[in-house]
Amino acid sequence: MKLSINKIGKLDGKTCFICGKYLLNNTSGDLAYIRLGNGQSMKAKPDKYYLFRCPKCSRIGHKRCWFDHGEKKIKRGWFKSPDWQLVCPGCGSVLSDKRPEKIDWKEGYQIPGYPDQELYELVVSDVFSWKAGSMFSKVRTAIGNFFTAVGLGSLTSEENKAIRDAADRIGKKFQHISEKVFRLEIPEGKTTDITSLTCQNCGAPLPVPDPLVEAVVCEHCNTAHLLP
Ligand SMILES: [Zn+2]
Ligand SMILES: [Zn+2]
Ligand SMILES: [Zn+2]
């Protein structure tokens, strides 16, 4: 199941229990391959990779790490080729039957019993967008003279409420609001000088708010703008 950019944020800072690296980091080895109908395989487009959560102990790891370290060879005697079985490297639970072969990664390996559609799917470009956006919660960036970009997570509860109300007015839900929020910072008394506003993310015109309105949300891209 493809993770939205907002959901990707929930994985920020969490690590793979197998390799110890961040779940939001991947190498080219993690990238997904899909099996085609004619028996061949190709790299999935756009670039994506998967995370798998152990159904027994709930630990999450890169699918590639499960492939590399979860698939265990089961010996069957000297002259017989070994079987393969998926065993959780965290809790030791056996997660599949024994199989005579392990499908190669580039031939579209799937976790036995858990096809890719049931795994967490991360599109690499979405992960980049999240990382670029999350920088804004740490660094306030001045845009032009009047707007400052801030992260949704860094707002006060009053600001959150203002955005919630603004989203409500256009029939959107708070969880759809983009991570990057723009704050209009102009001197007091100058607010009546605002005669037009454009979305700082997509350029669409925003309604000019009455003086009591504290936030507007762009109908096109769900970007919130806080007003003085
Ligand atoms: Zn890993
Ligand atoms: Zn486990
Ligand atoms: Zn917009």
Side-chain angles (χ1 to χ4, degrees):
M1 130 212 21
K2 185 172 177 293
L3 295 182
S4 65
I5 293 187
N6 278 336
K7 285 256 171 63
I8 288 171
K10 302 217 158 79
L11 297 170
D12 192 23
K14 302 218 164 71
T15 52
C16 168
F17 81 98
I18 301 172
C19 70
K21 301 196 178 97
Y22 289 116
L23 293 173
L24 292 189
N25 285 356
N26 77 283
T27 67
S28 58
D30 288 296
L31 296 179
Y33 283 77
I34 47 177
R35 220 170 198 179
L36 302 174
N38 61 11
Q40 292 181 317
S41 66
M42 60 175 275
K43 205 164 122 205
K45 285 279 163 214
D47 282 354
K48 59 179 87 165
Y49 66 101
Y50 293 93
L51 305 176
F52 178 58
R53 180 196 286 274
C54 172
K56 294 287 189 304
C57 69
S58 294
R59 291 180 175 91
I60 300 183
H62 300 105
K63 179 184 164 191
R64 180 66 198 232
C65 295
W66 282 93
F67 172 83
D68 288 337
H69 303 286
E71 290 284 356
K72 294 275 176 267
K73 255 187 203 168
I74 314 284
K75 286 211 176 78
R76 296 198 308 143
W78 286 111
F79 299 107
K80 292 182 177 163
S81 55
D83 279 338
W84 293 90
Q85 191 161 45
L86 186 69
V87 177
C88 173
C91 66
S93 298
V94 171
L95 300 175
S96 81
D97 293 336
K98 293 182 186 140
R99 293 118 58 215
E101 62 167 332
K102 167 179 161 183
I103 292 172
D104 197 61
W105 184 264
K106 296 204 168 172
E107 280 166 15
Y109 169 83
Q110 310 242 333
I111 304 238
Y114 301 90
D116 285 350
Q117 304 88 274
E118 294 177 20
L119 271 44
Y120 298 119
E121 177 187 323
L122 290 159
V123 175
V124 173
S125 57
D126 287 350
V127 174
F128 276 121
S129 306
W130 158 259
K131 288 180 177 171
S134 75
M135 291 304 291
F136 285 95
S137 56
K138 289 146 197 151
V139 186
R140 287 157 49 95
T141 316
I143 313 259
N145 292 323
F146 302 125
F147 279 99
T148 312
V150 293
L152 191 56
S154 70
L155 303 180
T156 66
S157 53
E158 289 83 29
E159 289 171 327
N160 269 316
K161 167 137 195 343
I163 291 176
R164 203 176 289 273
D165 292 346
D168 238 27
R169 282 195 297 276
I170 57 165
K172 305 239 175 170
K173 294 213 164 65
F174 187 74
Q175 53 267 38
H176 299 139
I177 301 296
S178 309
E179 171 62 24
K180 197 196 288 179
V181 172
F182 292 92
R183 185 186 275 139
L184 181 59
E185 292 181 335
I186 55 173
E188 291 228 15
K190 287 271 180 197
T191 45
T192 47
D193 292 356
I194 306 171
T195 53
S196 71
L197 276 180
T198 53
C199 172
Q200 298 301 298
N201 182 54
C202 75
L206 297 171
V208 179
D210 71 62
L212 290 177
V213 163
E214 289 163 343
V216 284
V217 170
C218 173
E219 280 187 71
H220 297 274
C221 69
N222 298 341
T223 298
H225 301 71
L226 286 163
L227 306 168

